[in-house]
Amino acid sequence: MKPKIIGITTYVESWHVQLALAKKLKQLLPSAMIVAGGHCATFCYRDMLRGGVFDCAIAGEGEEAFVQLCDYYIKGQGELKQVNNLIYRENDDIIVNERKRIVDIEALPFPDRNVLELDKYSYAFTLSTSRGCPGRCIFCSSHAFWGNKVIIRSPKNIIDEIDAVYQQFKLTDFFVIDDTFTLIPKRTIEFCDLLNELGEKYNVSFKWGCESRADVVTEEVLAKMKQAGCVMVQFGMESGNDEILKSIKKNITYSQLYTAVTLAHKVGLKMNVSIILGHHLDTKETIEETISKGKDMKEKFGANVLFSINTPYPGTELRESIDKFDLELLFTEVSKLRINIPSFRSKLISEREVNQYFVEAQYISSYLIPN
Ligand code: SF4
């Protein structure tokens, strides 16, 4: 293909693979510009650009920045300093251009799924219907990645994409990858009504799943979702202890979570409930309380309970203020971070004990994919 410019999405867990790929590409195509995007590019660009393999990085949303960068590099139009979200080297300096959000996300074309080998993916069809989350959970980088505002697509625009994908690939199963799909009940209900209409038009049943928050669902919304083919919803429980929930700024109580799970179970939805062990104020007692409540979720509601170990990812308040939380990082290399390995030391519980609890909790852990 001899591409002039190559973009690679970067994630912490698979960073070593992306780096190896970029190095290989640089050997094979020395004159091609290699651009990093995604989470690592947004929060770890200094290390990335100093390594010399990546020529530049795009922080946050990349659609507009990448087009502008192509115009500059391939057509010779514009200037690098005018490309919003771009981070690049200039002599020994790293230049960080202004970050801007894409306000009109409906103006973006639908992803070109023709370029993917869809049968190789567990979720052949994922759908992004909004960008951002109003939450400020300290272990999550969503806010730092997307910014303050949640930008949403209209139900009609989402349905147009589902329609286009159905016409082209005959795919009926999808997963909504938004941080909180059900944020606006009215939008969720309208989406469900339109999806039912689309199903009637083609005489097919759509089957889908999404992530939600316990404080933005009602029985009416959950029942509508079930009726429109939703088979699975994921809730972040994070902890079973209200003091811990408050300290991590989850802004949801255990009782709210319990109510949401009860309602989802009542209308017939399956659930994933995600739980984090080893929050900065966690003790043996709070972790045992959390595991016991996680067990309840499985036994009473048949929920799939997913445990992980608290991990200070770049871009999270947890990592940025690790001293404030009285924690000590066990290693600084971001590429070593894993959700099943302790990565910091707390004065309230040892990392060995957190790990033991995590291993013990695996006997109730399972994950459900919506197909
Ligand atoms: S964990 Fe979920 S609810 Fe909390 S900030 Fe992140 S995306 Fe939002």
Side-chain angles (χ1 to χ4, degrees), residues 133-137 139-143 179-180 213 238 250:
C133 176
R136 295 290 181 273
C137 307
F139 56 85
C140 176
S141 61
S142 176
H143 173 236
D179 288 332
T180 310
R213 265 178 69 101
E238 326 304 2
K250 185 70 192 176

Side-chain angles (χ1 to χ4, degrees), residues 159 162 174 190-199 206 208 228:
I159 294 295
I162 297 172
F174 60 92
E190 206 179 321
F191 165 81
C192 291
D193 287 340
L194 289 175
L195 188 62
N196 281 331
E197 282 174 25
L198 191 69
F206 290 99
W208 53 284

Side-chain angles (χ1 to χ4, degrees), residues 6-22 34-45 48-49 53-60 141 145 313-314 334-335:
I6 300 166
I8 299 179
T9 304
T10 57
Y11 295 99
V12 168
E13 261 90 358
S14 46
W15 169 234
H16 58 289
V17 179
Q18 289 134 20
L19 187 61
L21 173 65
I34 303 193
V35 190
H39 185 269
C40 277
T42 302
F43 300 114
C44 311
Y45 57 82
M48 189 176 276
L49 293 184
V53 178
F54 286 94
D55 296 292
C56 54
I58 292 175
S141 61
F145 187 89
Y313 284 108
V334 164
S335 59

